[in-house]
Amino acid sequence: MTVLIADDDPLVREVVRRYLERDGMTVRETDDGPSTMAALTDLGDEIELAVLDVMMPAPDGIEICRAIRSGPRPELPVILLTALGDEDDRVLGLEAGADDYVTKPFSPRELALRVASVLRRTKTVRDSDAPVLRDGGVEVRPAFRLALVDGTPVDLTPREFDLLVFLLQHPQQVFSREQLLAQVWGWDFGDLSTVTVHIKRLRAKLGERHRIETVWGRGYAWARTGNGATDA
């Protein structure tokens, strides 16, 4: 696994690199926006996850995250490092397409665990022999990490994809934000707005074909339409 660490603080890069290498990962480092964009282009598919500092010299982490989501590898997992503790700023990062964020100052061990969690879940779904999931105009092929709406591929971030798969696998079941955080993110704790933002983004990308219902006071559920068949 190769992880790109983009941060203008050399101490942060060094500490994070040590922890990730201890976990058996290969680390590439950049210290500003232009070098990060160049690395993402030059290294291509070698990079399997990017950790981006929100406040590094422009283009900053949020701008680069947006560029990734609109570029040739929109599925690339992204974790943002931010010194901004305000919830609105964290939501801004999630709405830009980040799969996760860690607020500075942070525990390097926690960041390493977040990186491992994102990579593990992405690989598990990709390598699984999970059946194709269909409901109405929505079709998901977990083995290929491909989502389609009315036959047209939809660009989803890894977390959005995992969330959609989970909901489709548990139709009409209501899950609280805490339960979704545990089941999809693999976290026992965390900012519940992370789930809220991902639900909002998923609804927007699926358009009128989404069946994500808000169950007042309880959480969210995918309500099946048609026969909702699950195909092998």
Side-chain angles (χ1 to χ4, degrees), residues 156-171:
L156 301 179
T157 69
R159 288 296 194 199
E160 291 167 355
F161 186 88
D162 295 342
L163 178 59
L164 177 58
V165 169
F166 182 80
L167 292 173
L168 283 170
Q169 288 175 334
H170 302 85

Side-chain angles (χ1 to χ4, degrees), residues 46-68:
E46 177 184 343
I47 302 299
E48 297 181 69
L49 183 144
V51 178
L52 308 175
D53 177 26
V54 169
M55 301 299 289
M56 67 181 167
D60 62 26
I62 290 179
E63 292 176 279
I64 295 174
C65 184
R66 291 188 179 121
I68 290 172

Side-chain angles (χ1 to χ4, degrees), residues 134-138 171-172 209-211 222-229:
R134 290 191 179 96
D135 181 31
V138 176
Q172 300 178 345
R209 292 299 191 181
H210 89 76
R211 298 292 180 266
W222 183 277
R224 279 193 172 178
T225 60
N227 58 21

